[in-house]
Amino acid sequence: MVSVLQNVAIDCTDAYELALFWSKVTGRPLHPEDRPGSRETEVQLAEGPVLYFNQVPEGKTVKNRIHLCLRPEDSRDREVDRLLGLGATLLNDLRNPDGSGWAVLADPEGNEFCVLRSESDRAATPS
C-alpha cells in the first residue's frame, strides 16, 4: 500500500489572488469553481498534484521548510525577469557567471521558490 500525492497546500491570506499569481507563473488554469473571495482555490497543473491555496488568518512569519523549484521552458534569466514582472520579489541571486546556479524568489505573500536553469541553459553550460 502507498499514498499518492494529491496536492501541495499553501497557506495564504488571499487564496484567490495568490492562486491567480501562480496560474500566471505556470500557465495553468484555476479550478472552474474558484472565484474572488474563495477561501480555497486550486491551480490545475498539467501533471502531478494540484497547487492548493488555503486562506488562513495568520500571515507568513518564517522561511518555508518546503518550497517549489521551477524549471522554465525558456532561459532561467528571462523567466526570473518575467516572474518579477508578475509581482515576485528576488530574495537571493545564486546565479553564477558561468551560467550555473539559481535564483530564490518570493511570491506576493512571501512564499519562497527557486528558478532553476532550463534544459537549454544546462546544455549551454559546460560541466
Side-chain angles (χ1 to χ4, degrees):
M1 180 180 297
V2 298
S3 294
V4 175
L5 184 60
Q6 176 66 37
N7 62 49
V8 176
I10 301 169
D11 288 352
C12 54
T13 57
D14 190 330
Y16 185 78
E17 286 299 316
L18 195 56
L20 279 179
F21 170 82
W22 282 100
S23 175
K24 292 173 186 171
V25 168
T26 62
R28 300 298 302 163
L30 298 180
H31 187 281
E33 295 177 8
D34 292 343
R35 301 283 180 268
S38 295
R39 296 184 52 79
E40 299 176 4
T41 58
E42 292 181 358
V43 174
Q44 300 181 316
L45 301 176
E47 297 177 10
V50 300
L51 294 179
Y52 171 82
F53 299 88
N54 182 44
Q55 198 160 303
V56 297
E58 67 277 355
K60 181 179 177 302
T61 58
V62 298
K63 181 181 181 292
N64 299 12
R65 295 292 303 248
I66 296 175
H67 66 266
L68 303 176
C69 291
L70 307 177
R71 185 170 310 280
E73 292 177 346
D74 195 5
S75 85
R76 174 200 55 213
D77 296 341
R78 282 193 291 274
E79 182 66 353
V80 167
D81 290 342
R82 183 181 81 87
L83 298 174
L84 292 173
L86 291 176
T89 304
L90 182 63
L91 296 180
N92 199 359
D93 194 340
L94 299 170
R95 296 175 282 184
N96 299 310
D98 70 356
S100 63
W102 61 92
V104 181
L105 282 73
D107 70 20
E109 290 205 14
N111 300 299
E112 299 93 359
F113 64 97
C114 294
V115 181
L116 309 174
R117 294 181 295 161
S118 67
E119 290 300 327
S120 60
D121 288 337
R122 292 167 58 90
T125 304
S127 326

